[in-house]
Amino acid sequence: MPVRTAINTFCITLLAAWATGCATRNHFATPAIFPDDGSNRPAFLRAEQTIKNLFPPQYRATQRAIVTAGGKQFTCDGLLQVSPANGHHLAIVSSFGVVTDLRVKANGDCELLKVTPLFREDWSRRFVARDLRWLFGAPANLQPAGRLADGSVVLQTDPDSTGVIARYIFSADGAHWHELDLLLEGNYFYRAMAKNFRKYPGVATEIPGAFEVNAESYRLELRIAEMTVPKEAQP
């Protein structure tokens, strides 16, 4: 198949998948959160430190991703560069080259560095930037939300400019991050599970080696294949 025809087929298939996927809504169970009685402050403080210091301040990572939308799967690679000065810079690459290239700054703003016909601009801003921001960024303004029935610690953010609230779920002692939920007007529309915790060279503690995301119109399976931390950023 000629390259141009292959690219056109890829674009049409991806467009159809996202269009179909956007008509589908995942349904999430709503966990019961029991108010904190004030006796678990050390666990909440530890959970806050866990999520804020989870990833090193500067690193380079290679990612492998499988995106499922509209019943179809797409495989791509991500090249992620993180630094305090430049934020989170991600280039997504398919077999046809760079699909999209963007940066999420420290203040959460998204800057598109390259837009291609293979991936619509609004998808990059709405979906890719959201995954990048919430999975790899350190949240601000966290407050204790309570505990689950199994004792898990729950922290949540204040609503952002769009009204979205993020809830982070940790082990009972606050030492391990398990899950991220995003809510809008009390409805869950995004759930990410942190998985395969491991140590990477230059990283002091175990961090998630993979994420499994179920969102309102797609599913993402993301694996960190390699991570490199410069010496000046190592503990």
Side-chain angles (χ1 to χ4, degrees), residues 183-229:
L183 304 83
L184 181 62
E185 298 178 349
N187 296 313
Y188 289 75
F189 66 91
Y190 181 104
R191 177 161 292 162
M193 307 297 295
K195 305 171 63 177
N196 300 347
F197 279 74
R198 53 169 290 193
K199 276 191 175 182
Y200 291 86
V203 182
T205 60
E206 291 186 340
I207 62 174
F211 291 97
E212 183 177 305
V213 175
N214 283 283
E216 71 279 37
S217 57
Y218 65 96
R219 183 182 181 204
L220 170 66
E221 297 172 76
L222 179 66
R223 178 173 62 89
I224 301 175
E226 296 180 1
M227 177 178 285
T228 304
V229 181

Side-chain angles (χ1 to χ4, degrees), residues 78-102:
L79 302 176
L80 174 61
Q81 299 183 70
V82 178
S83 71
N86 297 316
H88 292 65
H89 176 199
L90 177 67
I92 297 180
V93 182
S94 75
S95 57
F96 301 111
V98 175
V99 174
T100 188
D101 190 351
L102 72 159

Side-chain angles (χ1 to χ4, degrees), residues 55-87:
F55 291 99
Q58 185 173 350
Y59 63 92
R60 179 186 177 94
T62 301
Q63 303 172 346
R64 304 281 187 264
I66 300 174
V67 181
T68 303
K72 298 183 182 298
Q73 288 189 342
F74 304 91
T75 303
C76 55
D77 293 338
L79 302 176
L80 174 61
Q81 299 183 70
V82 178
S83 71
N86 297 316

Side-chain angles (χ1 to χ4, degrees), residues 127-186:
F127 302 119
V128 179
R130 179 178 66 186
D131 290 328
L132 185 57
R133 182 183 299 115
W134 289 112
L135 297 182
F136 297 98
N141 302 320
L142 285 171
Q143 302 293 332
R147 285 180 174 265
L148 302 185
D150 63 0
S152 298
V153 172
V154 184
L155 295 177
Q156 73 177 33
T157 64
D158 294 329
D160 65 12
S161 59
T162 64
V164 172
I165 293 173
R167 284 182 176 164
Y168 293 82
I169 300 175
F170 303 82
S171 58
D173 61 359
H176 299 283
W177 175 37
H178 294 161
E179 181 181 322
L180 164 68
D181 292 336
L182 298 183
L183 304 83
L184 181 62
E185 298 178 349

